[in-house]
Amino acid sequence: MTVQDPAPAYGNDVAITGIALRVPGADDVNAFWQLTAEGTSTFRSVSRAESERFGYTSAQIDDEDFVSVVSALDDFDAFDHDAFGISARDAALMDPQHRVFLECARRALDDAGFGDVTGLKVGVFGSASSSTYLTGPVRAAGLWDESDLNFSAMLANDKDFLCTRTSYALGLTGPSVVVQSACSSSLLAVHLARQALLHGECDAAIVGGVSISIPHLGGYLKRSGSIFSPTGSCRPFDRTADGTVKAHGAAAVVLVRSEDANLQHVYANVAGTAANNDGADKVGFPAPGVSGQAAVIRSAMASAGITADKVRYIESHGTGTLLGDPIEIRALRLAREGSTKSCYLGSAKANVGHLDAAAGVMGLVRAALVLEKGVIPPLAGFSESNPLLDVGEEVVLPTEPVDAPWLTHAGVSSFGMGGSNVHAILRRRADARGRQVSPQGRRLVRTRHWVGHPRHTRTPEVSKAAGRATESARSVSLPSLEELLATVREVLQLPELAAEDRLVDAGADSLALIDITAALAERHGTALDVAELERIGTVEKLFQTHVIDRTSGKVGPVDEPTRRHIARQPRSASDNAVHITPPRERTLFLVHPAGGTTTCYAGVATHIGEDVGVTGLAFPADFLGQRITMRELAASYLATITGIQPSGPYLIGGYSFGGNLAAELALQLEEAGETVELLVMIDSHPPHAYTSGACDEQAYVAAFPALLSTLVPGIRFAEDVRARADARGILEAVEHPAWPESVRNEFARFFEIWRENHGMLKRWTPDRLIDCPVLIIEASEPEPEEVLDCLSISPSTVNEWSRYLSRAPQIIGVDGDHYSIFRDLTSLRRIGEILGQAATQRELVR
């Protein structure tokens, strides 16, 4: 039985006023139209490494039935959870389908001009493919299994919550309905949304679909009888057609009653829709049916009040399968029986592949653009008609773009496996008097530019008047001890959370001095030289004489036992061990990041717990300029570690570069017959991210300003900073803060160590699989692209570490980017808690 239109109170047409999409090769409407108009296909070969990344084994990849072709999104896993008020933990649990659908819904509203939906009933009708995120990464992380009724994981992954999650996040109060009918799901959602609008159940409706299948981002295994192409192509209606290719992406539209639409921002009108089912009138359950398809097309035309002669373009289901294409052509000719006009066919699947639950709305978008532009695009990949098709003269398969200002109506077909058929009729937009307007050659794309809020409040600039009054640092009174300690606490992120007094011995790290003196200069309007702090000592001396009461936040003197402990710690240049805490039951050895200092671990250590001590491994000054290898450096650090702890089991780790070096340490400890109980890598790029490109001296100089900007918030440079030839020149171009020469010298040394260590990474990969438990802590936001591009660091994810490990790692996300996770107090606390739980073999709390 065909679902008929209601007796509407507002007329039959609903308008498409907003479109958003993320599909292979296109992140917006203009980019999608360009690839469509050019007849471009987005199918590409996938590397073995990518296939392995998404879970395929060597045996599967080597199988003759493995097809290494994908049509995939870029950055499918990227998501700005803060923009939607979603916590990092909930975002990490969310299926990427839910994330991308939510983003497309918001962007579609923006495109439609809905900046504020207060007082409007906005409905959400959507469709998604089955979750492979729940059964893949979420299960691999130990957050779900088949017997686990994990409420959070269910909410974040199940199809049922796709639309209600969007309604909640965007504050939408209309009907919120998930629609599932296989490949026709999202066009069926359009049909139901149109009915809801015509019945007055909502004032506007977001309709969309999404399909991201994580394993198939790495290719697929062809199977006999499958709809998927054994050659990795999709050529609907062509002689060489042998199936389709799985596509990954999403699309969403905003529908309103046509009488309510802003006519300047209408892509096309949905004039009629219909839905039915084949029933048993076909050769088998998964097979398509001629009579059902023909009937639904006729019903949709009747719903729009037109005859077949009006519909001169059909956005077909067009899968390119041996069974489906002939049946679709037969059904179309049967539905158009008696028509005297030719009809052109198109298929989005020829461009981007089969979007499964999102295929229907994708076809709607393509047809709407055809009407808006007045151009019928070529059928991508088509050269010669399949002889099994009885196309006749009235069905045209275009091989070139066709100017079609005469085109007033278009049809959209979507047929779900199992027999749920849907067809929609689109009408070119009309003016206020109901007259159809000429196709638009150009359209202004409206979008919302998400602006992130800084995680830290930056100290306001010192006024020029204050600067003039403090030309001489010595003419200004120095800060009090309490003021200095407050600065130290903030810079080193020493929170007031522990139950009792605790010493944090950061050592005499150069970077700590730089950070603290820069912060003082910022706050007191003066360039305070390190030497001018002699009355209260260096950072190291400061921590030898004072501690912070974590409960009260007050500063008090160090007790005698602690003072004796500090006095016993080695401080020679050749000894790179920095004892960040006094000895405890167990010791976690943390390797420095590329800059060579261990200051970043001071704030983390306060949250690890009483049972785990932290010893940092700083870069030895006498190694600078020696061009040593990662293996040589690791061997030196190994001697330091075993000098402190002669035998295992060992707890080792590091941040960024330090994680990579810790991985080499793990290999050398295992080779020596020792047990590595835990290897921790904190936001460390996998080795191939570095080795993929070369890097010369000028590349490091070019990247230095961007790196300084991440380390010193609020830094300002002279306009010609990019023209400076070396690191010293870059530092001389720093206009704010007003650094003294001693601070510039420290940063120059920092640059040399950073460059030295980064060069080691360019020349290193593990020589065998790492065989120990691995915990990876991942920042939720990426490192700045400018630094990555300058240093030829290829885009990667921590998941790609798997190719160097003999067992799956445990991956836990932390809010922030590569640098802010060690500045933000919440992130520091979280890292410390994770390390403490892992080091004591307690269950990790996510």
Side-chain angles (χ1 to χ4, degrees), residues 321-630:
T321 58
L322 295 177
L323 181 63
D325 283 2
I327 286 179
E328 183 166 9
I329 292 294
R330 287 173 57 198
L332 179 61
R333 293 190 66 189
L334 183 61
R336 295 177 60 81
E337 197 169 31
S339 172
T340 60
K341 302 288 186 179
S342 61
C343 179
Y344 290 81
L345 296 192
S347 173
K349 295 179 183 69
N351 297 106
V352 299
H354 196 335
L355 279 163
D356 191 51
V361 71
M362 193 70 250
L364 185 84
V365 167
R366 193 171 187 269
L369 294 176
V370 167
L371 286 173
E372 186 196 36
K373 305 294 184 182
V375 175
I376 296 173
L379 186 60
F382 179 82
S383 58
E384 184 179 357
S385 176
N386 185 338
L388 297 176
L389 306 181
D390 183 16
V391 294
E393 294 182 355
E394 68 271 26
V395 175
V396 182
L397 301 168
T399 58
E400 299 290 339
V402 178
D403 287 332
W406 40 264
L407 187 64
T408 60
H409 292 77
V412 184
S413 289
S414 196
F415 308 130
M417 188 176 292
S420 288
N421 306 309
V422 187
H423 194 80
I425 299 295
L426 304 189
R427 195 191 326 266
R428 199 169 69 207
R429 72 189 186 99
D431 65 15
R433 296 183 180 180
R435 298 172 301 187
Q436 291 184 327
V437 300
S438 299
Q440 295 179 333
R442 181 177 174 275
R443 175 184 173 88
L444 177 65
V445 176
R446 290 168 289 169
T447 186
R448 172 175 302 198
H449 297 279
W450 295 102
V451 179
H453 296 286
R455 293 181 176 275
H456 307 284
T457 302
R458 294 183 176 179
T459 306
E461 262 184 41
V462 178
S463 68
K464 293 181 180 179
R468 287 194 297 270
T470 58
E471 291 179 359
S472 170
R474 297 184 185 278
S475 66
V476 178
S477 60
L478 290 171
S480 66
L481 176 59
E482 286 71 23
E483 289 173 324
L484 176 63
L485 285 168
T487 302
V488 171
R489 282 202 302 272
E490 182 176 333
V491 171
L492 298 185
Q493 294 295 333
L494 305 178
E496 300 149 13
L497 297 172
E500 57 190 57
D501 294 359
R502 183 172 305 165
L503 172 76
V504 177
D505 175 22
D509 274 339
S510 300
L511 199 55
L513 292 174
I514 292 169
D515 285 348
I516 291 169
T517 54
L520 287 169
E522 183 85 5
R523 285 160 202 176
H524 296 276
T526 180
L528 295 172
D529 198 294
V530 174
E532 294 168 340
L533 301 176
E534 60 184 6
R535 73 176 173 88
I536 45 180
T538 64
V539 176
E540 178 183 357
K541 184 177 178 183
L542 174 66
F543 278 107
Q544 289 181 15
T545 58
H546 288 79
V547 290
I548 301 167
D549 184 322
R550 307 299 180 187
T551 303
S552 67
K554 296 180 179 178
V555 177
V558 174
D559 58 279
E560 193 58 29
T562 303
R563 189 187 305 279
R564 288 195 298 270
H565 162 70
I566 297 172
R568 289 195 299 269
Q569 303 311 312
R571 293 289 181 232
S572 67
S574 61
D575 188 336
N576 62 315
V578 179
H579 297 276
I580 299 174
T581 67
R584 289 179 182 151
E585 183 178 333
R586 317 194 71 198
T587 299
L588 172 62
F589 295 93
L590 294 177
V591 180
H592 60 82
T597 69
T598 60
T599 305
C600 57
Y601 301 133
V604 169
T606 65
H607 302 292
I608 287 180
E610 294 290 342
D611 298 327
V612 182
V614 177
T615 293
L617 298 169
F619 186 79
D622 48 357
F623 281 2
L624 190 58
Q626 298 301 308
R627 194 176 167 78
I628 62 174
T629 67
M630 287 280 280

Side-chain angles (χ1 to χ4, degrees), residues 171-446:
L172 310 179
T173 59
S176 196
V177 182
V178 173
V179 182
Q180 298 298 152
S181 60
C183 314
S184 61
S185 296
S186 54
L187 196 61
L188 181 57
V190 171
H191 172 65
L192 297 177
R194 173 172 175 260
Q195 289 185 329
L197 284 163
L198 296 179
H199 277 301
E201 294 173 358
C202 52
D203 302 307
I206 302 168
V207 188
V210 61
S211 181
I212 300 172
S213 176
I214 291 174
H216 300 127
L217 292 167
Y220 59 93
L221 284 159
K222 62 185 179 184
R223 291 286 184 257
S224 177
S226 167
I227 67 169
F228 294 105
S229 165
T231 60
S233 63
C234 184
R235 301 184 182 94
F237 314 116
D238 190 77
R239 174 185 289 273
T240 62
D242 60 0
T244 192
V245 173
K246 175 75 185 81
H248 309 266
V253 298
V254 172
L255 304 179
V256 300
R257 289 180 289 272
S258 291
E259 62 185 33
D260 297 332
N262 179 341
L263 297 181
Q264 298 304 312
H265 298 100
V266 172
Y267 289 92
N269 293 289
V270 182
T273 57
N276 72 6
N277 192 274
D278 292 328
D281 188 11
K282 52 186 177 178
V283 298
F285 172 67
V290 173
S291 58
Q293 291 183 12
V296 82
I297 295 171
R298 286 194 297 264
S299 293
M301 290 189 293
S303 170
I306 60 171
T307 64
D309 279 351
K310 286 282 190 180
V311 184
R312 304 287 307 280
Y313 174 80
I314 297 284
E315 178 64 26
S316 68
H317 187 61
T319 56
T321 58
L322 295 177
L323 181 63
D325 283 2
I327 286 179
E328 183 166 9
I329 292 294
R330 287 173 57 198
L332 179 61
R333 293 190 66 189
L334 183 61
R336 295 177 60 81
E337 197 169 31
S339 172
T340 60
K341 302 288 186 179
S342 61
C343 179
Y344 290 81
L345 296 192
S347 173
K349 295 179 183 69
N351 297 106
V352 299
H354 196 335
L355 279 163
D356 191 51
V361 71
M362 193 70 250
L364 185 84
V365 167
R366 193 171 187 269
L369 294 176
V370 167
L371 286 173
E372 186 196 36
K373 305 294 184 182
V375 175
I376 296 173
L379 186 60
F382 179 82
S383 58
E384 184 179 357
S385 176
N386 185 338
L388 297 176
L389 306 181
D390 183 16
V391 294
E393 294 182 355
E394 68 271 26
V395 175
V396 182
L397 301 168
T399 58
E400 299 290 339
V402 178
D403 287 332
W406 40 264
L407 187 64
T408 60
H409 292 77
V412 184
S413 289
S414 196
F415 308 130
M417 188 176 292
S420 288
N421 306 309
V422 187
H423 194 80
I425 299 295
L426 304 189
R427 195 191 326 266
R428 199 169 69 207
R429 72 189 186 99
D431 65 15
R433 296 183 180 180
R435 298 172 301 187
Q436 291 184 327
V437 300
S438 299
Q440 295 179 333
R442 181 177 174 275
R443 175 184 173 88
L444 177 65
V445 176
R446 290 168 289 169

Side-chain angles (χ1 to χ4, degrees), residues 728-751:
R728 178 60 69 175
I730 296 291
L731 292 167
E732 293 301 328
V734 175
E735 295 181 337
H736 180 81
W739 284 335
E741 192 63 17
S742 58
V743 173
R744 296 181 198 273
N745 289 340
E746 292 291 348
F747 264 121
R749 181 175 178 274
F750 171 85
F751 173 87

